[in-house]
Amino acid sequence: MDSVTQFVLGAAVQGVGMGKYQGGKALLYGGLLGTLPDLDVFIPYADSISSMTYHRGFSHSIFVLTALAFVMTWLIFKLKSERHFSFLRLFLTITLALVTHPIIDAMTVYGTQLFWPISTAPEVWSTVFIIDPIYTFPLVFACLWALLKKMNAKSIKVLNIALILGFVYFGTGFIGRFYHEQRFSNALSEQGVEVEKVLATPTPFNTILWRVIAVDKQGNLYDGVSGWFDKKAEMEWIKMPLNLPLAPKILSISPETQRLKWFTDDWLHYEQIGDNLVVSDIRMGMAGQFNFRFIVAKQENGEWMAIQPKTYPMTRVHLRQELLGLLWQRMWSDKLPLPLERWVKLGL
């Protein structure tokens, strides 16, 4: 999630847990704790794939953050043993202010390594977009209320309500993901498509319109949209090849691409563009407008040679603006279908 959301979430958690004792300072302490895990973005990595796949790693581990919370609590009591609150209360509050950060990160489609150093695939719950005003605004309002009205019992109640509303909102996201995945799977099955895996994720800034992707057993990607306000029985989607025959060679010579495959749970698209081999994470973006694309190899004398991965140039800005505008219209009605075929041609 975005930094503003992480700050106000941490502030609200700290305000509820320690506002009675720390007053308005609890909001600042919690906000700083809530943003702390994202300091890993300042770690320099050798290439763009490493920057992507090591982000939300050790710094987002619930094990690491719980241990950090214990050390911080111990130090606070070590410096001044006479406190009006218990060690356990402070430890639980700091822990929650820290671990709620990676937990709501896991609600997005990016991938969060909650259980690092256990080498499980990143958690991808895909129930909310990385920026969602519906979730963030109540927390912002509650924190401003507590700041302006002072940290009293009513302010703590307002903060509690905002946290509960957010919890309920995330719950509706799980329902949305299940519904739209089932709808897309059923629509493809009716067309005789054998779906191997499917994934739904909210489109930008909302949970009304969802992008749903699926892969069949022949290595084709089906990229579609499904909204809560759709009235048509049929769904709109585009079919495109993943070009999987290119995968074995590059995976055998590029450790970075292997890691990207693990990180994305193999939601990858391969494409030869000129002498470059471009690998794209198909979970983010739409209809060829993928947000994370990497040049991982170059062709020399008919052979692929792995290179240090670098980011492939983004799609033209005006095209991305058009995509967002049309998604906003499509959110409320399915009367005008999206130009998925044109986006594919322009994006690849």
Side-chain angles (χ1 to χ4, degrees):
M1 298 291 286
D2 63 284
S3 297
V4 172
T5 301
Q6 299 290 12
F7 186 94
V8 293
L9 174 60
V13 170
Q14 188 82 6
V16 168
M18 296 300 298
K20 179 180 177 181
Y21 308 99
Q22 296 174 335
K25 291 181 180 179
L27 299 175
L28 175 60
Y29 297 154
L32 294 175
L33 289 170
T35 56
L36 185 62
D38 271 347
L39 292 181
D40 68 335
V41 299
F42 294 106
I43 300 175
Y45 290 103
D47 60 85
S48 53
I49 288 181
S50 296
S51 295
M52 176 187 181
T53 60
Y54 283 99
H55 177 49
R56 297 194 185 179
F58 74 92
S59 67
H60 286 59
S61 166
I62 58 175
F63 303 130
V64 172
L65 294 176
T66 302
L68 176 61
F70 182 85
V71 172
M72 293 176 70
T73 306
W74 179 82
L75 286 173
I76 290 171
F77 272 80
K78 185 73 172 177
L79 293 173
K80 187 178 180 182
S81 58
E82 292 184 9
R83 297 285 177 179
H84 299 295
F85 46 84
S86 67
F87 184 98
L88 180 61
R89 185 183 188 91
L90 181 60
F91 168 65
L92 290 177
T93 301
I94 293 178
T95 300
L96 287 173
L98 288 170
V99 302
T100 49
H101 177 125
I103 287 174
I104 69 167
D105 271 352
M107 298 288 183
T108 69
V109 76
Y110 185 95
T112 306
Q113 298 168 59
L114 285 180
F115 306 110
W116 185 96
I118 299 174
S119 59
T120 56
E123 297 299 315
V124 177
W125 299 339
S126 192
T127 62
V128 68
F129 189 68
I130 192 170
I131 301 173
D132 194 317
I134 296 176
Y135 177 77
T136 305
F137 283 168
L139 289 170
V140 172
F141 171 81
C143 289
L144 289 175
W145 174 284
L147 187 64
L148 297 174
K149 300 291 185 178
K150 307 302 181 183
M151 189 62 72
N152 51 35
K154 188 172 183 179
S155 294
I156 293 175
K157 183 178 180 179
V158 170
L159 291 171
N160 257 316
I161 291 173
L163 290 171
I164 292 171
L165 287 175
F167 178 80
V168 173
Y169 182 67
F170 279 141
T172 64
F174 282 102
I175 296 172
R177 177 183 172 182
F178 175 79
Y179 168 76
H180 294 292
E181 286 180 353
Q182 286 297 117
R183 185 185 180 209
F184 197 40
S185 294
N186 293 338
L188 292 176
S189 294
E190 291 175 1
Q191 298 294 321
V193 177
E194 294 184 84
V195 175
E196 192 166 75
K197 58 181 181 178
V198 61
L199 176 65
T201 186
T203 56
F205 317 125
N206 77 100
T207 54
I208 297 174
L209 182 66
W210 292 66
R211 176 191 180 225
V212 196
I213 54 176
V215 173
D216 66 17
K217 294 185 177 180
Q218 288 71 47
N220 295 304
L221 170 66
Y222 298 82
D223 200 338
V225 288
S226 176
W228 283 113
F229 296 139
D230 288 2
K231 295 181 179 179
K232 297 178 182 178
E234 65 274 12
M235 291 182 62
E236 55 186 290
W237 45 268
I238 191 74
K239 176 183 176 182
M240 53 191 294
L242 292 174
N243 302 319
L244 295 184
L246 290 171
K249 179 61 178 178
I250 188 58
L251 288 171
S252 68
I253 61 176
S254 173
E256 295 85 0
T257 307
Q258 294 173 21
R259 181 172 176 82
L260 185 64
K261 178 181 178 180
W262 164 80
F263 185 81
T264 63
D265 195 24
D266 202 19
W267 288 101
L268 294 178
H269 175 274
Y270 301 84
E271 183 79 4
Q272 180 175 351
I273 302 178
D275 292 332
N276 296 321
L277 197 157
V278 177
V279 179
S280 305
D281 179 350
I282 61 178
R283 301 171 304 162
M284 288 168 275
M286 177 177 287
Q289 310 301 309
F290 304 129
N291 294 340
F292 291 94
R293 310 184 72 188
F294 307 98
I295 302 173
V296 296
K298 287 188 176 293
Q299 198 170 50
E300 297 180 6
N301 300 320
E303 294 290 330
W304 288 112
M305 305 295 292
I307 63 171
Q308 180 173 290
K310 57 184 179 180
T311 302
Y312 186 77
M314 295 286 286
T315 304
R316 292 180 295 277
V317 173
H318 77 273
L319 182 59
R320 300 180 70 81
Q321 292 174 339
E322 176 194 64
L323 186 150
L324 290 174
L326 291 177
L327 285 178
W328 174 258
Q329 297 177 33
R330 177 62 181 79
M331 186 190 308
W332 309 108
S333 172
D334 58 354
K335 290 183 179 180
L336 295 176
L338 296 172
L340 298 178
E341 290 189 14
R342 182 168 66 85
W343 286 347
V344 167
K345 292 177 182 178
L346 292 175
L348 295 178

